[in-house]
Amino acid sequence: MVRLPPVFLSFRASLLSVLLAGGLNVLSFDPVGWWPVQCLSLAFLFSLILRERPSDDTTAAAVFTRRQIGWLAWSYSFSWLFGTISWLLIAMTRYGDMPVGMSLLALALLTAFLAMYAGLFGVTTHWLRQRWQTSAATTGLLLMPALWTLGEWLRSWLLTGFPWTISGYAHTSSPLAGYAPLIGVLGVGWLNAVLAGLLALAWRAGMATRHGESKTTWRTPVAVLIVGATLLFGIGQGLRQVAWTQPHGAPISVSLLQGNVAQDVKFDQEHLNESLSLYHDMILAAPADLVATPETALPMLSSQLPVDYLPLLNAFAQRSGSAVLIGLGVHDGGSRYSNSLLGFSPLHQARAYRYDKHHLVPFGEFVPLGFRWLVDMMKIPLGDFSSAGIAQAPMAVRDQFVMPNICYEDLFGDEIAQQLFAQNASSGPVATILLNASNMAWYGDSFAIPQHLQLSKMRVLETGRPMLRATNTGATAVIDVGAGLVAELPPLTRGTLRATVQGRSGMTPYVMIGNAGVLILVLLSIAVAWWMARQRS
């Protein structure tokens, strides 16, 4: 049996250790991007779950109860999430006028809730291991990676979902990125968990050898780790060389506008005209095949704009041949409002193109039932927007078709895949270029900007299409297939990013099957674990 160092024998010491290990995960995501940290820290959690009581010492506290394992997994996820989304404090304190103590409590409550998925993973792992009497290898390589992935899948959609910095996003530049066109970000996270299981088993065997057990106990798991990691990384690197999509039509020129309007003055009545003039002048100064503004670049509803504002921009589009996408709130009458992009171009002369955001942000674009008190306390002017359907047509721009998404809609890769699949199935135009319009000014010069850029990189890997990003304060960028940055404006500066972009057509496997592929793999893993346990018994 494995004998662990004394520092890890108590539950309290292990709890503090996993809090530290989870917090280190902030280093695995951009802008730091040390993706091996994530695999190592998850392996540490897995190794604690795999602990067993020494056979010659029935009094040693070397095995955890089901409840303790649940708390360990919950604590690991809590510190991971608290560290990676701590930039929410900027919005609550600087712009929401919320006391620091109350802001910390609100962030802690949010991350505590989101960490429950990991807690459920820990409890379920212990329950199935006890019920099926699975071996350490079966638990580490089949059960735990599968159940961890199911937890991340639940977090990605349950109660509207919040999959920010789930494990697969750390691997946009690792060899595992090659699997994204096949099984998406959840699948990449599952493979990361498999590697963590291999590491945990090797570490466990090494500790056993250190305490006098046979060297064979150590050599076999280490050999499996080396072979498994080599195969996973080698295949992944090979997959990165596969062209899943092909060039479509002629490239287009783009101008992506970054106004850098401070959030505390954006909706101030005294500065509204300044924003209108700013984007009017920036658009007219940057003719291109496509000119795109950030989310809500115009800080007022369409019904409140000067009557000639949009017609003047439409006239510019017709005169210059540019396609212009403008972010604003559209008022459809009554109490119906939408967070939208309106498009003017020679190909949309009779009627403006329109994209309405369909995946709304809780507390940002709608107030969940029972939480109006929190919004009132933050003193942020929030309303309830209407949600559009997921199936919306792309905008034609010369030879290309541009599919917008707004703000954190690009967290939900399965929804973007559904959009592309639905367009392909309808025999209509299929998007060849993706575009994200965002306003990250709420979060200042924080990790939110590079983290959001990393999310867009994963969408490029999954769909095989370039992504344009037009943001208020950053990251305004062009991402080419392979998740490589073609160009990027410095954050928190005002400017226009000009580039030439080649659209691409074709369907990656992930676009065709979405998350069904990885869900089949993890359910199959659980079934194999059950079968192996039956054979073993």
Side-chain angles (χ1 to χ4, degrees):
M1 291 294 179
V2 181
R3 292 182 184 270
L4 293 159
V7 69
F8 296 130
L9 289 181
S10 74
F11 171 68
R12 290 183 180 179
S14 297
L15 195 64
L16 292 175
S17 299
V18 295
L19 283 169
L20 175 61
L24 288 174
N25 276 304
V26 70
L27 302 177
S28 66
F29 299 97
D30 285 348
V32 181
W34 294 348
W35 57 266
V37 170
Q38 184 186 100
C39 191
L40 292 170
S41 69
L42 188 61
F44 177 71
L45 174 66
F46 283 7
S47 67
L48 292 178
I49 296 175
L50 288 173
R51 285 172 57 169
E52 296 174 352
R53 190 188 311 278
S55 57
D56 60 347
D57 187 356
T58 59
T59 64
V63 63
F64 295 124
T65 66
R66 185 176 305 165
R67 178 179 296 180
Q68 288 174 330
I69 286 178
W71 277 115
L72 288 173
W74 179 90
S75 300
Y76 174 80
S77 182
F78 174 81
S79 61
W80 171 341
L81 288 162
F82 196 94
T84 54
I85 64 173
S86 57
W87 36 261
L88 286 172
L89 294 171
I90 299 174
M92 290 187 282
T93 56
R94 184 183 302 175
Y95 302 116
D97 197 24
M98 200 176 193
V100 174
M102 186 60 69
S103 300
L104 287 169
L105 177 60
L107 178 62
L109 289 174
L110 173 62
T111 51
F113 170 77
L114 294 173
M116 288 195 299
Y117 298 108
L120 180 63
F121 146 79
V123 170
T124 307
T125 297
H126 183 277
W127 178 68
L128 288 179
R129 188 184 186 192
Q130 293 290 313
R131 184 177 180 85
W132 294 348
Q133 293 296 299
T134 57
S135 66
T138 300
T139 305
L141 298 181
L142 294 175
L143 267 187
M144 287 199 294
L147 294 174
W148 177 264
T149 304
L150 286 176
E152 292 198 317
W153 173 67
L154 287 174
R155 180 154 76 88
S156 71
W157 64 268
L158 196 60
L159 299 176
T160 78
F162 190 75
W164 195 284
T165 63
I166 60 174
S167 56
Y169 283 119
H171 293 275
T172 53
S173 59
S174 88
L176 295 185
Y179 296 94
L182 297 172
I183 49 181
V185 66
L186 282 173
V188 174
W190 170 64
L191 293 175
N192 175 75
V194 171
L195 284 173
L198 286 169
L199 280 168
L201 290 168
W203 183 80
R204 178 179 180 275
M207 293 305 302
T209 303
R210 182 180 175 184
H211 290 280
E213 296 191 18
S214 170
K215 289 186 178 180
T216 306
T217 306
W218 173 79
R219 287 173 179 169
T220 301
V222 171
V224 173
L225 168 64
I226 294 173
V227 172
T230 301
L231 283 174
L232 280 177
F233 287 147
I235 294 172
Q237 196 61 35
L239 289 171
R240 296 201 70 171
Q241 314 308 314
V242 176
W244 298 99
T245 55
Q246 53 278 342
H248 175 91
I252 60 172
S253 60
V254 300
S255 292
L256 307 176
L257 310 185
Q258 182 172 288
N260 195 35
V261 179
Q263 193 61 40
D264 53 354
V265 303
K266 180 174 181 178
F267 296 102
D268 192 321
Q269 291 294 324
E270 297 180 1
H271 296 85
L272 292 180
N273 289 332
E274 293 178 13
S275 293
L276 296 183
S277 298
L278 169 67
Y279 278 106
H280 174 273
D281 295 343
M282 291 183 75
I283 290 171
L284 267 61
D289 293 332
L290 174 64
V291 183
T293 74
E295 174 192 17
T296 60
L298 307 185
M300 57 179 63
L301 296 172
S302 57
S303 58
Q304 300 170 329
L305 288 171
V307 292
D308 62 341
Y309 190 86
L310 293 179
L312 286 174
L313 294 181
N314 185 26
F316 163 77
Q318 307 306 323
R319 182 173 66 252
S320 65
S322 300
V324 181
L325 269 172
I326 305 167
L328 76 165
V330 174
H331 184 199
D332 291 313
S335 59
R336 183 173 178 82
Y337 308 92
S338 299
N339 187 354
S340 304
L341 290 169
L342 290 182
F344 303 106
S345 77
L347 296 177
H348 296 84
Q349 185 173 7
R351 184 177 182 181
Y353 171 82
R354 176 173 169 178
Y355 173 83
D356 293 339
K357 187 175 184 181
H358 68 270
H359 201 126
L360 303 180
V361 182
F363 302 107
E365 291 163 323
F366 78 95
V367 180
L369 184 65
F371 285 93
R372 174 58 65 180
W373 63 272
L374 179 61
V375 173
D376 293 339
M377 180 180 295
M378 288 193 296
K379 299 179 183 179
I380 295 177
L382 302 178
D384 284 326
F385 284 93
S386 300
S387 175
I390 192 173
Q392 301 184 59
M395 181 180 184
V397 181
R398 297 196 183 276
D399 288 346
Q400 306 301 328
F401 298 97
V402 179
M403 184 68 213
N405 60 79
I406 297 176
C407 190
Y408 89 150
E409 281 187 321
D410 66 344
L411 268 76
F412 303 94
D414 57 327
E415 294 184 359
I416 291 178
Q418 288 176 39
Q419 289 174 324
L420 293 171
F421 182 79
Q423 292 167 5
N424 185 62
S426 67
S427 301
V430 181
T432 57
I433 297 173
L434 305 177
L435 181 142
N436 176 262
S438 293
N439 174 32
M440 302 296 288
W442 292 104
Y443 313 114
D445 187 16
S446 67
F447 280 6
I449 292 177
Q451 286 175 3
H452 199 192
L453 178 63
Q454 192 169 31
L455 304 179
S456 294
K457 290 179 181 178
M458 183 57 70
R459 300 293 85 82
V460 171
L461 291 168
E462 290 173 343
T463 64
R465 284 159 169 76
M467 172 80 83
L468 313 177
R469 289 178 51 86
T471 69
N472 181 22
T473 56
T476 297
V478 176
I479 310 169
D480 202 0
V481 289
L485 276 178
V486 175
E488 180 184 5
L489 286 178
L492 303 179
T493 59
R494 181 171 296 170
T496 298
L497 182 62
R498 300 176 185 270
T500 300
V501 181
Q502 173 63 66
R504 300 184 73 88
S505 60
M507 299 286 120
T508 65
Y510 180 73
V511 169
M512 300 296 291
I513 62 175
N515 287 336
V518 66
L519 290 176
I520 290 172
L521 289 172
V522 299
L523 292 176
L524 183 62
S525 296
I526 295 173
V528 171
W530 171 81
W531 179 82
M532 292 180 69
R534 286 288 299 269
Q535 296 298 110
R536 187 166 179 253
S537 65

